[in-house]
Amino acid sequence: MALTNEIFSLIVTGHPCINKLVPNPIANLQRQVANLHYSKTANILLTVALSRGIPTYPISLGGNIWQYGQGSLGRHYRSAADEFDSLTGDILCRNKVYSNELINRLGFPGVVHEVARNPDHAAKIAALIGYPVVTKPISAGMGKGITTSIDNPDELVAAFKLAASISPRGVIIEKYVKGTDHRLAVFGGELLWVMARYPARVIGDGVHSIATLIGQENLRRKGDIDKKAIMQDAAMDELLAKMGLSYDSVPAPGKAINLRSVANVSMGGTMEDVMPRIHPDNRYMALAIARAFRMNAIGIDFITEDISKSWRESSCAVIEVNQTPGVLCYIRAEKQLNRMFPSGNDGRIPTILLIEAPPRIRQAGCYIITGCQSVCWPGNRITNFSRQAPQGEIV
């Protein structure tokens, strides 16, 4: 309707109606379309809600906020975050320094890091905590601006500049933690899934170049909602060069070549369900962190070499917490919605339909049931039936 309004405004008046500051009508239309788009997570959740008969309504299209259910039974969502997440928890999650401080105060394994103001300061911190190190923005998601496994001051300068372009207030210099990155997703006080995440990579066959292997992998990923295409960029160029490789290199059969230093799905990474293997101590840790952050929905990034070992007995660290865990498949979306809308609850408020009765029925003091679960009797008294009467039954 907004697009239709824009088009007719242009036809009738010759002027756009959405944004007077943008003279180009096409640019106005493109901006309006962009505002109507919602995230992939929201798309999956909305699809699952539709399949369950849960009504959905847009609250703020530009802000990607939707209501699932009706009235007092309805719940607001922004992607996978919901209305029961606290404001203080959201602030803690968005700031990696604040969140790490709380993790350490809870007694769980956090990371060793400091905030650097400039490249020289970053070099001093790295020398103090020891290489290899990781650089990351103070506040950013989806792996943006992060560089891992930095081994020397020269690499540190370039990595600092990348993070600083996103985080002008300072760059986190963090001690590198060896292991596999795991996403622990908590919803409504329950750990719903644990996914091991791996960086984007290709497996050599002794015949094809890395560039060809990337193309083949992207073809296999088409139509797979859990996997994003592997995109070549300057960061990938540098990582390959660091390993003494190029896109023309032909890896040996079975040789895994990591194309990213960060295990992030949005950057072409992959995931594996390891929920059955998680140690009880690690499960408890995830639930305790969710409670301490006052978050109903939270994603905890936990690095460990073996998720089946307790955090008390292994070299590991919680490197980050996320205020909106990724829900990138229908099975996980169903689990998430079940926490808010259990089986049999479609989020709808029961309604009462009042119909004018024929005179002979009205005079007899009775009404015709119209398939509703409640009827209004003479005297405006409402009675709830323990059973639903058949259509047309006279009472």
Side-chain angles (χ1 to χ4, degrees):
M1 292 299 295
L3 287 173
T4 302
N5 185 36
E6 171 74 359
I7 292 169
F8 276 94
S9 176
L10 289 169
I11 293 174
V12 175
T13 68
H15 300 288
C17 65
I18 295 176
N19 188 345
K20 305 296 185 182
L21 299 178
V22 181
N24 185 344
I26 301 301
N28 262 330
L29 291 175
Q30 290 174 334
R31 178 171 297 186
Q32 186 70 2
V33 170
N35 287 338
L36 292 174
H37 285 179
Y38 40 76
S39 69
K40 180 175 287 187
T41 294
N43 184 19
I44 295 172
L45 286 169
L46 289 167
T47 301
V48 173
L50 178 64
S51 70
R52 288 193 47 191
I54 300 173
T56 59
Y57 310 92
I59 299 298
S60 171
L61 288 172
N64 192 29
I65 299 174
W66 292 76
Q67 177 171 309
Y68 294 65
Q70 298 174 337
S72 61
L73 298 182
R75 298 291 180 259
H76 283 191
Y77 279 85
R78 186 177 187 276
S79 290
D82 60 60
E83 62 186 49
F84 296 107
D85 296 328
S86 71
L87 173 61
T88 54
D90 183 75
I91 292 172
L92 289 169
C93 289
R94 290 179 183 274
N95 188 298
K96 295 178 176 63
V97 176
Y98 297 162
S99 59
N100 186 62
E101 180 181 356
L102 179 52
I103 294 295
N104 286 318
R105 291 183 65 185
L106 291 171
F108 296 120
V111 294
V112 177
H113 70 199
E114 294 288 343
V115 176
R117 300 181 298 274
N118 53 58
D120 290 338
H121 189 202
K124 292 179 181 179
I125 295 172
L128 180 64
I129 65 178
Y131 288 96
V133 297
V134 177
T135 57
K136 58 178 64 173
I138 294 175
S139 299
M142 303 179 71
K144 295 178 181 177
I146 297 178
T147 305
T148 67
S149 301
I150 302 168
D151 294 320
N152 57 70
D154 291 336
E155 292 179 12
L156 181 60
V157 172
F160 181 92
K161 290 180 179 179
L162 175 62
S165 66
I166 300 174
S167 180
R169 292 182 298 155
V171 172
I172 293 175
I173 311 300
E174 184 175 291
K175 180 67 176 176
Y176 175 74
V177 180
K178 185 179 180 182
T180 300
D181 187 3
H182 297 79
R183 170 61 62 87
L184 285 59
V186 177
F187 292 93
E190 181 180 349
L191 182 65
L192 292 191
W193 62 78
V194 180
M195 306 298 295
R197 305 190 299 177
Y198 306 100
R201 59 183 178 177
V202 292
I203 307 298
D205 58 8
V207 176
H208 296 97
S209 68
I210 291 177
T212 302
L213 292 172
I214 291 174
Q216 293 174 348
E217 177 63 21
N218 285 338
L219 283 176
R220 285 191 290 269
R221 294 184 178 202
K222 277 192 173 181
D224 189 337
I225 197 169
D226 280 344
K227 297 178 181 178
K228 289 203 172 185
I230 300 174
M231 307 302 294
Q232 301 178 24
D233 56 18
M236 188 179 296
D237 300 344
E238 293 176 6
L239 183 60
L240 288 174
K242 183 178 179 180
M243 295 184 289
L245 301 171
S246 71
Y247 293 109
D248 295 326
S249 301
V250 178
K255 175 69 173 178
I257 305 297
N258 286 339
L259 302 171
R260 297 289 181 193
S261 60
V262 180
N264 194 290
V265 175
S266 65
M267 300 175 68
T270 56
M271 299 185 295
E272 177 190 4
D273 183 5
V274 295
M275 180 77 162
R277 303 206 303 265
I278 188 170
H279 191 280
D281 285 352
N282 299 337
R283 178 192 295 270
Y284 174 82
M285 176 186 68
L287 299 178
I289 289 174
R291 290 193 301 269
F293 276 72
R294 305 296 192 266
M295 296 293 281
N296 193 61
I298 193 171
I300 300 163
D301 292 344
F302 177 57
I303 289 186
T304 179
E305 293 185 345
D306 190 348
I307 194 67
S308 66
K309 291 184 178 180
S310 169
W311 62 267
R312 304 174 187 273
E313 302 171 351
S314 59
S315 177
C316 58
V318 174
I319 62 168
E320 195 170 310
V321 289
N322 302 268
Q323 75 275 20
T324 173
V327 179
L328 297 177
C329 76
Y330 295 106
I331 294 176
R332 292 197 289 275
E334 180 71 27
K335 289 181 179 180
Q336 198 265 12
L337 284 179
N338 279 341
R339 294 298 300 167
M340 198 71 75
F341 302 97
S343 179
N345 177 6
D346 61 4
R348 296 176 183 270
I349 295 179
T351 55
I352 300 171
L353 179 63
L354 305 180
I355 296 180
E356 180 70 18
R360 66 181 183 85
I361 299 296
R362 188 166 59 247
Q363 291 172 2
C366 55
Y367 280 75
I368 297 177
I369 298 296
T370 60
C372 298
Q373 294 179 337
S374 303
V375 295
C376 183
W377 292 84
N380 293 326
R381 292 181 293 108
I382 295 179
T383 302
N384 290 317
F385 285 82
S386 60
R387 66 179 178 85
Q388 183 165 346
Q391 181 82 10
E393 178 180 334
I394 297 178
V395 296

